[in-house]
Amino acid sequence: MKKYLLLIVGYLCFLPFISNAQVTILSWNTAAGVTGAHNATVNNANLETAMLSRGPLLTYNNSSSNSYVAIFPKDQDKAGAKNGAYYQVTIQAKAGNYVSLSSLDATLRRASTTSPGYYRWAYSVNGTTFTEIGTEDVFISRTGADNNNGEVQPSIDLSAIDALQYVPSTTVITLRLYAWGGTDIVGGSNFGVGKFNATTPSLIFKGSVVNVLPPSYTVTFDAKGGTPVSSVTRYQNLKINAPTNPTKTDYNFGGWYKDENYSTKWDFNVDVVQSNTTLYAKWIDSKQIITFPTIAAKRHG
């Protein structure tokens, strides 16, 4: 019996290290018009109350029940949106805890074709310097006329963003949703977080909140004669970003592998760090030797 108890205790002690699990830690349901900041509907007990709010250039509007929307400025571009045409979310762990974000899911509602259609998320851990998430801006083509509840957006993976992993209670995470491209200044420029239903909120953050930091490990890149690649250190169970591809004269880079026999490729979208790890560069000879068959020319007299 003692043996089994020790095994169970050991397993429970390990649980804080199983980080970034796909568990909802924050979500929002808008039951009616909210003029100011909107507290999270589901809020992890070890997080301070998270808030969704409007930027200073947005005007409150309740044109659609069960959604958090606003009127956006007319004829505004992305640079203008960053000056105040955005929605903002603030997230902070309670004292003694660390919060990690693994994904962001949102249903967004573009009221009409004259509403903002472009958007981009960004994050900050100092409240002033914001880094855009993803590789490109997103455009929503469908409007409230197509789906009055709003459009479910592709899930955003946050697990490889170092700054959003194991953030201490002394740091506030700020996320902003910039939107632009509206051509009407009245109700036709309405855009925001879409409607929720009984089972699905319209804004969801998944991740983890722990009170013990997991071990950290080093990932070393063996470039196999290519240009050097710096090693990285990550907490257990985190993904790593793919480094800039190394180069090697007369060879094409073929990816990073877990073994020197090149049998298993490292998948930066899936694989996580579990221990000190060395990844090996695979090289493919770019020189091609082309042989032509000899054709004997015959002359006929």
Side-chain angles (χ1 to χ4, degrees):
M1 178 63 71
K2 290 183 178 180
K3 178 180 179 180
Y4 291 115
L5 287 174
L6 288 173
L7 287 172
I8 293 172
V9 171
Y11 174 74
L12 292 174
C13 290
F14 181 73
L15 282 179
F17 298 151
I18 304 177
S19 61
N20 292 50
Q22 291 290 307
V23 176
T24 297
I25 58 173
L26 295 166
S27 66
W28 279 260
N29 295 353
T30 304
V34 179
T35 59
H38 188 352
N39 292 346
T41 310
V42 172
N43 203 108
N44 184 283
N46 291 319
L47 293 177
E48 301 290 355
T49 301
M51 291 189 295
L52 168 65
S53 60
R54 299 176 179 87
L57 295 182
L58 301 189
T59 303
Y60 166 72
N61 183 274
N62 190 32
S63 66
S64 178
S65 60
N66 295 348
S67 60
Y68 191 78
V69 294
I71 295 174
F72 278 67
K74 179 183 178 182
D75 299 328
Q76 191 171 59
D77 59 11
K78 183 177 182 179
K82 291 184 176 182
N83 289 325
Y86 54 76
Y87 292 101
Q88 179 168 291
V89 175
T90 54
I91 302 171
Q92 183 178 15
K94 288 183 178 179
N97 290 279
Y98 303 85
V99 57
S100 298
L101 303 181
S102 60
S103 67
L104 188 170
D105 294 275
T107 298
L108 301 179
R109 185 178 183 277
R110 185 187 183 202
S112 71
T113 56
T114 59
S115 299
Y118 291 94
Y119 76 86
R120 187 73 170 270
W121 284 94
Y123 71 89
S124 174
V125 289
N126 61 17
T128 55
T129 304
F130 284 82
T131 301
E132 294 182 355
I133 299 173
T135 58
E136 58 186 17
D137 302 328
V138 183
F139 180 72
I140 301 176
S141 59
R142 286 164 55 89
T143 69
D146 304 302
N147 182 358
N148 194 40
N149 293 323
E151 294 291 302
V152 176
Q153 300 302 297
S155 182
I156 299 175
D157 185 1
L158 304 176
S159 62
I161 301 177
D162 291 348
L164 301 183
Q165 311 308 318
Y166 298 104
V167 182
S169 60
T170 52
T171 298
V172 177
I173 300 172
T174 305
L175 297 108
R176 287 179 178 174
L177 171 60
Y178 304 118
W180 65 95
T183 57
D184 189 358
I185 201 168
V186 196
S189 194
N190 224 314
F191 176 87
V193 180
K195 297 183 180 182
F196 79 97
N197 58 43
T199 59
T200 307
S202 47
L203 182 60
I204 304 169
F205 287 90
K206 293 183 179 180
S208 66
V209 187
V210 299
N211 56 18
V212 177
L213 289 175
S216 61
Y217 298 108
T218 299
V219 178
T220 303
F221 297 91
D222 185 343
K224 292 296 182 181
T227 52
V229 176
S230 299
S231 62
V232 296
T233 300
R234 292 289 183 276
Y235 287 115
Q236 183 181 25
N237 289 325
L238 290 185
K239 296 177 185 177
I240 58 174
N241 290 309
T244 301
N245 289 346
T247 59
K248 186 176 181 180
T249 303
D250 296 328
Y251 287 87
N252 294 323
F253 179 64
W256 294 103
Y257 283 76
K258 302 177 183 179
D259 59 286
E260 291 187 273
N261 294 323
Y262 306 116
S263 60
T264 308
K265 195 172 186 178
W266 182 275
D267 188 339
F268 290 93
N269 294 318
V270 176
D271 289 323
V272 296
V273 177
Q274 297 285 3
S275 60
N276 291 326
T277 302
T278 299
L279 299 181
Y280 303 92
K282 182 177 181 179
W283 296 103
I284 303 169
D285 194 336
S286 62
K287 293 181 293 184
Q288 296 182 4
I289 301 175
I290 303 175
T291 58
F292 296 93
T294 301
I295 301 176
K298 296 183 179 180
R299 294 186 179 181
H300 298 278

